[in-house]
Amino acid sequence: MTAPETRSWQTIRDEVLRRIHSREWRPGDLIPSEADLAAEFGCARATVNRALRELADTGLLERRRKAGTRVAPNPVRKATLSIPVTRLEIEARGAAYAHVLLGTDRATPPPHVQGVLRLPSGTRLLHIRALHMADGRPYAYEDRWVNPDAVPAILTADLDSISANEWLVANAPFSDGSFTFLAESADAELAKLLDCAEGTALIVIERTTWDGATPITAVRLHYRPGHRLQAGL
Amino acid sequence: MTAPETRSWQTIRDEVLRRIHSREWRPGDLIPSEADLAAEFGCARATVNRALRELADTGLLERRRKAGTRVAPNPVRKATLSIPVTRLEIEARGAAYAHVLLGTDRATPPPHVQGVLRLPSGTRLLHIRALHMADGRPYAYEDRWVNPDAVPAILTADLDSISANEWLVANAPFSDGSFTFLAESADAELAKLLDCAEGTALIVIERTTWDGATPITAVRLHYRPGHRLQAGL
DNA sequence: AAGTGGTCTAGACCACTCC
DNA sequence: GAGTGGTCTAGACCACTTA
């Protein structure tokens, strides 16, 4: 045997991948148990477990106690988007970042914001509007509502020198959150801010974050026309 | 001590999360080594490792040999989108699925498709256009190019009864792929197909898949107006 | 009742990287 | 060189699920 004697969990993962890929194991098939595979590969069961768990996490295998491990019949593709702080996103593209605070006020948010934050109607929040610039050109428009009860210190923060985005990342740890992606046409105001024609299709990210049951912030980011979100895997 | 004596890796993960969250450990801080934490929690180092690895995978911790483990200063949020087969996506909403094959032909793809698939210009591919319906109403328009060299069997598949989407999932294993999300305005044809006004902003998913170095398929999915992609985490 | 995955342990060696 | 994380082992017990 000239085969390498290495039997790391990556080796086993790759071999399992190869067997699925070569259709030796087909979608829906039951594959051997961890104990059997450990015997076959000459390694500890924990090592096999690590490899199979990895593949189950990415949706390629389905595992159930007693029932065993199957090749997923309908592999649900999991696309992972990395969403860094906007400044870093822009700098990663090699562009110079700048940030323009368009205004802050305290007001009652529109109903849909109240809804997603599950706030009683009439609650007043801090409203922040800002523009992120890349090389002097508009990159994304940020419309944010912050719950000052959750992070009182933001009322005294200098949001001209640090974006609310970054201030919150550094100062408002959160336990939960969600992202939604959608498309929207630029209205007159957005067209002006993002320097595009009215009606242009824009991609929008809506994000909310929570500290346990306490809502922290809800934000909508409208990206400049043509923006693409690239997902891995 | 009335604290429970359970010390599973989830327990440890949650306790580490709590310390980060309570700002006992702040962004950029070095946290104790695995050995120290194992001693503190009274468990094996492997258990601590499992907990910390989990948090590092989600981007909350940064780990380096010798340098130790730090709380990530700029936690990169990883949003995970689950992208199932369109039929299952529709059925999960409790709607009836149907699928209309609009046409197939063999042709030379437009330059941008040739580009992303890295094919020599002039290569002829199978072109498939279809509409996914939910409860009889248009849900998404699919415009797909398939490399018949990679999956010759598709030329004889009955794409009326099974969508190309599902046929490929079941018959064309792939090793790599990528997703891109963007916004586009409906042109006259799309407006007609999706039963919306011309110029409506639509969300678009572009997907390509590969079998090693061999391109399999490139597809663009235009969703009906108002569609949202919901990401977890 | 029994089979399978899920997890934990105690120990070991290795790989990397900072000093 | 030394400290830290990365991984593997052999064994064990438990939890869940199906038969």
Side-chain angles (χ1 to χ4, degrees):
Chain A
M1 282 194 277
T2 58
E5 279 305 317
T6 58
R7 49 221 146 87
S8 63
W9 67 268
Q10 290 98 332
T11 309
I12 295 169
R13 177 199 57 194
D14 292 348
E15 173 60 16
V16 171
L17 270 175
R18 190 194 64 72
R19 292 184 187 179
I20 294 174
H21 195 228
S22 70
R23 306 183 71 65
E24 186 174 331
W25 295 339
R26 295 171 173 257
D29 281 2
L30 202 56
I31 77 172
S33 73
E34 291 189 350
D36 290 350
L37 289 172
E40 180 191 337
F41 292 122
C43 68
R45 183 165 76 91
T47 307
V48 174
N49 179 275
R50 174 76 193 271
L52 297 188
R53 181 160 38 80
E54 190 93 353
L55 294 171
D57 283 347
T58 70
L60 228 64
L61 294 178
E62 288 176 358
R63 321 195 72 196
R64 265 163 40 232
R65 281 157 163 152
K66 166 72 178 173
T69 300
R70 289 179 183 284
V71 180
N74 283 298
V76 172
R77 289 294 146 192
K78 292 184 179 163
T80 305
L81 287 138
S82 291
I83 306 192
V85 165
T86 306
R87 175 175 62 79
L88 296 176
E89 181 181 331
I90 289 172
E91 288 173 354
R93 291 165 171 257
Y97 175 76
H99 144 261
V100 180
L101 185 62
L102 300 174
T104 67
D105 57 289
R106 299 192 65 162
T108 305
H112 84 268
V113 170
Q114 265 174 40
V116 297
L117 293 181
R118 290 170 230 145
L119 286 166
S121 67
T123 308
R124 290 170 70 80
L125 300 180
L126 179 63
H127 185 204
I128 301 164
R129 301 183 317 115
L131 204 52
H132 299 275
M133 314 284 287
D135 279 341
R137 293 165 50 183
Y139 182 83
Y141 168 68
E142 175 174 331
D143 186 311
R144 182 184 292 274
W145 295 85
V146 181
N147 179 3
D149 291 343
V151 278
I154 198 172
L155 296 172
T156 57
D158 176 11
L159 297 177
D160 261 318
S161 51
I162 181 173
S163 75
N165 185 354
E166 280 195 75
W167 190 93
L168 285 166
V169 165
N171 296 282
F174 59 91
S175 57
D176 288 298
S178 75
F179 291 92
T180 304
F181 307 90
L182 58 134
E184 232 175 53
S185 291
D187 59 19
E189 188 190 359
L190 273 168
K192 194 169 151 192
L193 288 167
L194 293 176
D195 193 20
C196 65
E198 203 172 327
T200 306
L202 304 174
I203 194 155
V204 182
I205 296 186
E206 284 186 8
R207 181 183 346 188
T208 63
T209 60
W210 302 79
D211 181 3
T214 308
I216 298 175
T217 186
V219 61
R220 282 169 67 90
L221 269 175
H222 288 256
Y223 284 89
R224 63 183 179 192
H227 188 75
R228 287 164 167 260
L229 296 168
Q230 181 68 46
L233 225 160
Chain B
M1 282 192 278
T2 59
E5 280 303 319
T6 60
R7 49 221 146 86
S8 63
W9 68 267
Q10 290 98 333
T11 309
I12 295 169
R13 178 199 57 194
D14 292 347
E15 172 59 16
V16 171
L17 269 176
R18 191 194 64 72
R19 292 185 188 179
I20 294 174
H21 194 228
S22 71
R23 305 183 72 65
E24 185 175 330
W25 294 338
R26 297 173 172 255
D29 282 1
L30 202 58
I31 76 172
S33 72
E34 291 189 351
D36 290 349
L37 289 173
E40 180 191 338
F41 293 122
C43 68
R45 183 165 76 92
T47 307
V48 174
N49 180 275
R50 174 76 193 272
L52 298 188
R53 182 159 37 82
E54 190 94 353
L55 293 171
D57 283 347
T58 70
L60 229 65
L61 294 178
E62 287 176 0
R63 320 194 72 196
R64 265 166 36 232
R65 281 159 163 149
K66 164 73 179 175
T69 300
R70 290 179 182 283
V71 180
N74 282 299
V76 172
R77 284 292 143 191
K78 292 183 181 166
T80 306
L81 286 140
S82 291
I83 307 192
V85 165
T86 307
R87 176 175 62 80
L88 295 176
E89 181 181 331
I90 289 173
E91 288 173 353
R93 292 164 169 257
Y97 175 75
H99 144 263
V100 180
L101 185 63
L102 300 173
T104 66
D105 57 289
R106 298 193 64 165
T108 305
H112 84 269
V113 170
Q114 265 175 40
V116 296
L117 292 181
R118 290 171 229 145
L119 286 166
S121 66
T123 308
R124 291 169 72 79
L125 301 180
L126 179 63
H127 185 205
I128 301 165
R129 302 183 315 115
L131 204 51
H132 299 275
M133 315 284 287
D135 279 342
R137 292 165 52 183
Y139 182 85
Y141 168 68
E142 174 174 331
D143 186 311
R144 181 184 293 273
W145 295 86
V146 181
N147 179 4
D149 291 343
V151 278
I154 199 171
L155 296 171
T156 57
D158 176 11
L159 297 177
D160 261 316
S161 52
I162 182 174
S163 76
N165 185 354
E166 282 194 73
W167 190 93
L168 285 165
V169 165
N171 297 282
F174 60 91
S175 56
D176 288 297
S178 75
F179 291 92
T180 305
F181 307 90
L182 57 133
E184 231 174 55
S185 291
D187 59 20
E189 188 190 358
L190 272 168
K192 195 168 150 192
L193 289 167
L194 293 175
D195 192 20
C196 65
E198 202 172 327
T200 306
L202 304 174
I203 194 154
V204 183
I205 295 185
E206 284 185 7
R207 182 184 343 187
T208 63
T209 59
W210 302 78
D211 179 5
T214 308
I216 299 175
T217 186
V219 60
R220 284 169 66 91
L221 269 175
H222 288 257
Y223 284 89
R224 63 183 179 192
H227 188 75
R228 288 164 165 260
L229 296 168
Q230 181 68 45
L233 228 168

